[in-house]
Structures are given as C-alpha cells and as structure tokens.
Amino acid sequence: GTESNGVYMSSNNGTSWYYSSFPGYSIHDLLVVGTDIYAATTDGVSKTSDSGATWSPVYTSCTTYGVLSLGYFAGKVFAGDRCGLYSSSNSGNNWTLTGCPAVRIWSIANLGAMVFCSGRTFYNDVEPVYFSVDSGLNWVSKSNGITNFDVREIATKGSDLFACNFNTGVLISSDSGNTWAVSTNGITNLAVGEIEIMGDNIIVGSGWNNNFPGSLFLSQNNGASWTDISPVTSSIGINELYIQGNNIFAVSDSFGSSYLYFSSDTGNT
C-alpha cells in the first residue's frame, strides 16, 4: 500500500513490483482472508478476490481520514476509523458498528477468544486499549499500567500482548491486558508505532525523530532487551512493517521521501 498511489504487488519477494488496478487512494492497512484482500483507504474499505486485478468498495468511511486499521477474528472482518470499530460477518457486504467506546481505531488484534483494539475516546482525548470476549459486542478498557495512552499497534505472541506506544516505547502484558509493563531496554527511539512477530523474534519500528536515532529494533528474548537493526544510520521513520517467512519489509519516510527496505537475515543486512 502507498500514499495516494494505491496498491503495488510483487510475486518475487520485492525484486520487482507492478501496479494493481486499485484507485489512487492512500492505503493505511491490508488484510488477507483466504482469497480475499481488503484494503483500508482514505475512502473506506475495498476488496479484491482476484489477486488485485479488480477492486470493489465494500465500506465507505464516515470521514475523509478513512479507515485506519483492519482485522479478522471468528469469521468477522473488523474495520476501524474515526467513527469507531465496525464488523462484517459476510465478507464486507454489510457492516455493524460494535460497542467499542473508542474512535480513531489504530489497531485490531486477537488473543485466543479475545479481540483487542486501541483507539481514542471523545471524553479525555486518550487512546486506551479495549478488549472484547464476545466478538465485539461488549468492551472493557485494559489500560492499567499504561501512563501515556498513545497506543498505535497491538500484536500477540503466545499468551503475551505487545503494544506500541508512540511516547514510551513497547508495552508488554502477560495477563491478557490486565497489567502492562514498559519494555525499552535497547530502544533509543521511543516513538514506536509498528510491531511484527517473526517466529521467536519481535521487530518494532519507530517514527522519525531527529533527536533520537534508530528506527528498527529486534528482540530475541520476548522483549527483555532490544537490538538496533536500523537499515541506515540517519534518522528515518518506519511507517509500516511486514513479515513474510524470514523476510522483513520496512517502509520508511524521511524528509518527504519514501523507501522500502528488505532483509532476509533478521535485519543483519
């Protein structure tokens, strides 16, 4: 997904790319469910069932900011935008607003039978973590121990939850979100906004900050410590991470230019 230029695709691990027929929207997130691909755009959600040859809009967002995140759990597709969290149980043909009290939904993830999301509330302008045990019908805040609620992304590894906080780094919960602990040993740039799980490894990306170098960090001990594996020494911001097998794809933004970095050896090169 790109900014304002739609979707590009590669069939050779990023060696070459070709443009799909997708309209020129900015792409915030992509979700693959079987043979269907969903794209979160500045307009809403679009879907393709033929590997990107054709796309059809399936949801129109309530604002011009569009849909920010996508997720899938228990046969439902979830889409988060600035109006709240919506779900569809029929491949995007119909959508229902869930009971999640947050809006501007940054991230959606599941742990066992629980669905988690991070977003902003109207009342106190914070972005707490919520969870649901009934596929999104009822929600409870799970933010105990999070001192700054700017949580951008959530990921799961085994029975643990990992949350990216754009001000305090990485947060870890080993009790289904009841309590959270900060994990920043080795992370020099605490503006963490992206996280991906690659087997036993955890990889996080930080936003651009000229005062704090470092943009990509690796943990091989479940977040106890982190190693800087940034692709370049200058300050860049990681806007998106994607893992395919042993391959890492990192999209960066630096001074108005965007770059795609690729590593096949856990970030060593």
Side-chain angles (χ1 to χ4, degrees):
T2 65
E3 183 175 351
S4 302
N5 289 310
V7 175
Y8 285 78
M9 308 183 75
S10 174
S11 58
N12 53 13
N13 288 327
T15 300
S16 60
W17 296 83
Y18 61 93
Y19 182 68
S20 79
S21 63
F22 197 89
Y25 297 118
S26 293
I27 309 299
H28 298 146
D29 201 2
L30 292 170
L31 172 70
V32 179
V33 181
T35 58
D36 295 332
I37 304 174
Y38 297 83
T41 76
T42 45
D43 187 62
V45 178
S46 291
K47 184 180 77 169
T48 178
S49 300
D50 52 15
S51 301
T54 58
W55 293 83
S56 300
V58 294
Y59 169 71
T60 301
S61 178
C62 64
T63 73
T64 56
Y65 295 101
V67 173
L68 304 174
S69 56
L70 294 168
Y72 181 79
F73 174 69
K76 290 184 177 181
V77 177
F78 290 88
D81 62 12
R82 292 202 176 203
C83 294
L85 182 65
Y86 292 80
S87 69
S88 173
S89 57
N90 57 6
S91 302
N93 293 316
N94 303 99
W95 296 84
T96 301
L97 181 64
T98 72
C100 184
V103 296
R104 201 167 103 173
I105 306 297
W106 285 114
S107 179
I108 307 160
N110 74 279
L111 179 65
M114 296 175 287
V115 180
F116 287 82
C117 72
S118 63
R120 183 182 295 276
T121 65
F122 278 125
Y123 305 105
N124 49 14
D125 202 37
V126 297
E127 301 181 10
V129 176
Y130 288 89
F131 95 117
S132 171
V133 295
D134 53 14
S135 299
L137 296 177
N138 298 283
W139 296 83
V140 176
S141 178
K142 288 285 186 176
S143 304
N144 184 31
I146 303 178
T147 56
N148 187 303
F149 289 144
D150 197 356
V151 176
R152 296 298 178 94
E153 190 161 358
I154 307 170
T156 61
K157 179 177 179 287
S159 59
D160 294 328
L161 282 164
F162 294 83
C164 294
N165 191 296
F166 211 63
N167 291 278
T168 58
V170 178
L171 301 163
I172 303 176
S173 175
S174 299
D175 55 8
S176 302
N178 290 316
T179 57
W180 295 86
V182 175
S183 168
T184 58
N185 182 19
I187 297 179
T188 55
N189 184 347
L190 299 182
V192 179
E194 294 292 328
I195 184 169
E196 288 290 340
I197 308 299
M198 188 174 71
D200 292 330
N201 302 313
I202 309 167
I203 301 170
V204 298
S206 298
W208 177 83
N209 190 325
N210 198 40
N211 296 319
F212 301 99
S215 54
L216 208 58
F217 302 91
L218 165 72
S219 177
Q220 296 177 303
N221 52 16
N222 220 46
S225 61
W226 300 84
T227 301
D228 191 335
I229 58 168
S230 302
V232 293
T233 56
S234 59
S235 293
I236 60 174
I238 300 299
N239 296 336
E240 191 67 53
L241 281 174
Y242 178 70
I243 304 298
Q244 183 188 50
N246 294 320
N247 300 324
I248 305 172
F249 296 87
V251 179
S252 75
D253 182 21
S254 179
F255 302 102
S257 298
S258 295
Y259 301 91
L260 176 63
Y261 294 94
F262 166 77
S263 174
S264 58
D265 57 4
T266 321
N268 290 314
T269 57

